[in-house]
Amino acid sequence: MARGEFYEVACVREALQGPVPSVTPQFFKSGEIDWKATGNVIEAMVAGGAKSLLVTNGDSLLTILTDKETMEFNRFVAEVAGKRAMVIACSKAWCQAQLLDYAATCKEYGCDLVIPFVPDWAQSVDGEELTACFREIGQVMPVMLLTNMCNGRGMAYSTIDALRKEEGIVAIKDDMPGPYGKMLLARTRDRFAFLQGGRAFHFLDQAPFGADGYLSVYARVFPHISHLFWRYYTEGRLQEAVEVVEKYDVAFFDFVAAEGVNFSAAIQGMYEIAGLGRRWRRSPYSSLTEEQMEKLGAFLEERKLVP
């Protein structure tokens, strides 16, 4: 197996230290992808200090992209990043043969890791079959496992344990915060790099168990907030880190809950207010209305994130 630097877990762990942004395609109101705006967003993330760029099935809206667009989006992220950040590609829920083709193509694109998002209708994925699937993909490119299966159940510990000896499996992205994620960390932190899959709030819960970094809302648009949190955390100023989480992270999710809007739609709205991208998401996904954009703008102004 031809080895690259990201087959080394230490290299992946270093690149995942701190806040990690996921990349979302920007859309025109018509639903077509705005590649220029998408490139602006990626450039802003790199300029904001992102050491890794993450493509995910959910946050990156692969759920409303075609298979062809999904591959093009992964290629575009790697191209714009230009090796200035580790690029983690992600598939849609494809069968094993298609996942292997996807991994080989992502390697050609210059992506550094792949997340094989496996299908799991009616819990059809068997542990032995799944282990073999990941093992084969890992021989093509380094793999980041995603704990949240297609139907929302956590990947079995036994499957992850069976992959400990596979050199191609280097990292885990955990989207199952709470007891599952902490127990998983306790079992695997000596072997795999570990990304907490959403929010500084959940990272603080998992950090004592060995999480390396976290998927950050603010690293996408206002990176100075995520870096402020990380500085307080790494300096051991935990009360100040918690205050940042409460003021920005918790408050944002309280805001979207109170307004009854989707958090992804609100993040797209942030891109537009910051002058980086557009609020639109492809139908039938919702996008913020003018009234909701005004309320989001007031939320950001209150926290001095925009003039």
Side-chain angles (χ1 to χ4, degrees):
M1 177 173 62
R3 295 179 60 88
E5 64 176 315
F6 292 110
Y7 272 110
E8 301 297 331
V9 173
C11 293
V12 178
R13 199 185 298 278
E14 172 58 29
L16 292 179
Q17 288 288 317
V20 173
S22 61
V23 187
T24 306
Q26 304 299 301
F27 297 97
F28 292 106
K29 191 174 183 179
S30 64
E32 296 180 17
I33 297 175
D34 184 341
W35 292 106
K36 181 178 180 181
T38 303
N40 291 342
V41 167
I42 297 169
E43 286 289 352
M45 289 175 175
V46 174
K51 294 189 292 185
S52 295
L53 298 175
L54 178 70
V55 178
T56 71
N57 186 71
D59 276 5
S60 297
L61 302 179
L62 304 189
T63 47
I64 50 174
L65 298 185
T66 66
D67 287 4
K68 182 178 179 181
E69 287 172 334
T70 295
M71 295 307 301
E72 178 63 10
F73 181 63
N74 279 300
R75 183 203 64 76
F76 186 79
V77 174
E79 180 181 271
V80 176
K83 295 301 180 183
R84 293 174 294 169
M86 181 177 73
V87 172
I88 307 165
C90 186
S91 74
K92 299 183 76 168
W94 293 328
C95 68
Q96 184 168 349
Q98 194 170 0
L99 287 173
L100 283 167
D101 287 343
Y102 141 82
T105 303
C106 284
K107 183 177 181 180
E108 293 176 2
Y109 290 161
C111 301
D112 300 300
L113 269 68
V114 293
I115 298 176
F117 189 65
V118 295
D120 190 30
W121 172 79
Q123 299 189 13
S124 295
V125 173
D126 174 80
E128 185 175 330
E129 291 287 340
L130 186 58
T131 300
C133 177
F134 288 136
R135 179 186 299 116
E136 192 169 1
I137 296 169
Q139 293 173 355
V140 178
M141 273 199 74
V143 168
M144 172 180 275
L145 302 174
L146 180 66
T147 61
N148 190 350
M149 302 291 283
C150 193
N151 66 352
R153 66 176 173 131
M155 186 180 295
Y157 293 143
S158 58
T159 298
I160 298 173
D161 288 343
L163 292 166
R164 289 182 62 90
K165 296 180 180 180
E166 299 299 325
E167 293 184 339
I169 315 302
V170 297
I172 294 172
K173 176 178 181 280
D174 177 39
D175 285 358
M176 308 288 288
Y180 171 95
K182 287 184 285 189
M183 180 62 73
L184 180 62
L185 263 167
R187 298 167 72 107
T188 65
R189 63 173 176 257
D190 65 321
R191 172 61 182 84
F192 302 116
F194 196 97
L195 178 68
Q196 204 298 307
R199 302 181 56 185
F201 178 82
H202 295 310
F203 173 79
L204 285 176
D205 187 43
Q206 290 189 335
F209 292 83
D212 294 301
Y214 70 101
L215 178 59
S216 169
V217 170
Y218 288 95
R220 308 176 205 191
V221 192
F222 304 108
H224 64 287
I225 299 302
S226 58
H227 291 304
L228 179 63
F229 163 77
W230 190 252
R231 178 164 65 85
Y232 286 154
Y233 168 73
T234 54
E235 291 176 356
R237 298 159 65 178
L238 294 184
Q239 184 56 48
E240 289 163 291
V242 167
E243 290 170 2
V244 172
V245 168
E246 291 176 338
K247 182 176 180 180
Y248 297 99
D249 184 83
V250 173
F252 171 75
F253 283 93
D254 284 349
F255 168 80
V256 297
E259 294 299 322
V261 299
N262 177 273
F263 79 91
S264 171
I267 292 173
Q268 292 298 102
M270 283 186 180
Y271 286 130
E272 184 166 306
I273 291 171
L276 293 173
R278 301 177 182 272
R279 84 181 80 166
W280 310 113
R281 300 193 306 165
R282 181 176 282 172
S283 179
Y285 281 13
S286 63
S287 302
L288 296 193
T289 64
E290 291 296 334
E291 180 181 359
Q292 290 167 339
M293 286 290 287
E294 289 180 6
K295 291 181 178 180
L296 177 61
F299 170 86
L300 299 174
E301 288 174 14
E302 183 181 351
R303 285 154 185 79
K304 297 181 170 52
L305 292 175
V306 294

